[in-house]
Amino acid sequence: MVNRVLPRLPDGPATVRELMASTVSPALSFEFFPPKDDEGEAQLWRAIRELERLRPTYVSVTYGAGGSTRDRTIRVTERIAAETTLTPVAHLTCVGHSRGELRTIIGRYADAGVRNVLALRGDPQGGVGKPWVPHPDGLDHAVELVELLRELGDFSVGVAAFPQGHPEATDLEADAAALAAKAAAGAEYAVTQLFFEADQYLRLVDRVRRRGCEIPIIAGLMPVTSLGQLSRFAELSGTQIPPAVVARLERHRDPADVRREGIDLLVSLCEELLAEGAPGLHFYTLNRSETTREILAGVADVN
Ligand code: FAD
């Protein structure tokens, strides 16, 4: 018997699945991280309000590695659900949580009317490249968190996908198999890690489709404002930056020109992805709205 501890969620904020099905235009989504202090919180809410005007399909809030940032993720997600017109997606990871703790957090989201969760394993506690050690009473892979969410309530569950392959995957086929397994467990859409070449995304889609898996794969995009920022995020996420992208940015001395080049690069990437049928664009906003808004203003198909 299915141990369904949560009541069926009331009809309320739509799910990402319903929102994606109800429109012919590509999904548009923005990702935020939980702020560290009051100033960061004010910046986050400015960005949320500015990006709200673009009427995104959903916005998501990342889940950090430690206690207080995790509470803030839950608080910010609940506040978006209560105080804005936006549909929030809460990220949740298996890192350092027992199964019981995960059930409690999932229950809290359900109580707050949050129906959308991005189910992630999380990075190893030592960082990308270090060995993954699951909590002794916890979950080992994201697929188990997808199963837990589907068992506990009426959630719409998203998962992560990796155009360059996940850093721990033995090869690209194993990586595609892991995504197909998450879809088979009930994940309804995937969002990719950042990437800069449409081909990498398209090859991932092909690998997954060859397995008979039709999960919509939303393209995850990092607005580039400087080489330093780009290198930091590439390292944190274990992503390789193509040399052609570095060369394009390195041509410029003036930071304003680097930023302009980064915007042009992202506009072309978005247009190529949409022309090739990507079902959505997801922006890693870093809690700022300006660059994302400028990129979107340049993309013909979302205007
Ligand atoms: P999994 O799907 O569990 O995959 C992890 C590894 O295990 C892969 O190499 C996979 O091939 C392999 N694997 C999967 N299943 C099996 C199996 N049954 N047997 C053997 N091997 C298997 N991290 C955070 O900490 N907080 C966030 O908020 C966050 N948000 C993210 C948002 C997006 C859109 C993306 C793309 C990533 C995000 N991450 C976040 C990072 C993510 O947690 C890491 O990339 C993590 O290392 C992998 O998570 P996963 O959910 O893909 O794990």
Side-chain angles (χ1 to χ4, degrees), residues 2 20 39 42 56 58 64 72 123-124 153 231 258 264 267:
V2 174
M20 285 180 78
E39 199 185 323
Y58 71 88
R72 275 195 296 272
D123 281 323
S231 313
V258 177
D264 290 348
V267 170

Side-chain angles (χ1 to χ4, degrees), residues 7 25 32 38 44-45 48 65 71 78 80 97 107 110 129 140 144 147 151 176 180 187 192 203 227 248 272 285 293:
S25 31
F32 304 107
D38 289 352
L44 167 68
W45 281 94
I48 290 177
D71 291 341
E78 288 172 344
I80 292 172
H97 281 313
D140 204 12
E144 295 164 41
E147 287 163 357
E151 184 187 305
T192 75
R203 286 201 296 267
L227 253 178
R248 263 182 82 165
E272 202 179 337
T285 69
R293 284 189 290 136

Side-chain angles (χ1 to χ4, degrees), residues 1 28 30 39 46 51 60 71 75 84 87 99 136-138 151 159 166 173 179-180 203 220 243 263 283 291:
M1 195 181 89
L28 186 59
F30 303 123
E39 199 185 323
R46 262 197 308 281
L51 290 168
S60 74
D71 291 341
R75 203 163 37 75
T84 74
T87 298
R99 201 172 253 272
D137 301 317
E151 184 187 305
V159 290
H166 181 264
E173 286 307 323
L179 177 53
R203 286 201 296 267
I263 289 171
F283 287 86
T291 316

Side-chain angles (χ1 to χ4, degrees), residues 196-197 230 241-251 261 265:
F196 295 97
E197 287 174 338
L230 178 58
I241 312 170
V245 169
V246 177
R248 263 182 82 165
L249 298 171
E250 273 181 341
R251 281 209 308 258
E261 188 73 54
L265 203 139

Side-chain angles (χ1 to χ4, degrees), residues 31 61-64 91 93 118-124 140-143 160-162 166 168-169 174-175 178 182 191-193 282 284:
E31 180 172 308
V61 185
T62 62
Y63 197 72
H91 293 205
T93 74
L118 195 73
L120 302 145
R121 186 201 67 179
D123 281 323
D140 204 12
H141 296 292
V143 67
F162 299 87
H166 181 264
E168 292 164 45
D175 178 81
K182 292 189 275 194
V191 185
T192 75
Q193 187 57 277
H282 176 84
Y284 296 108

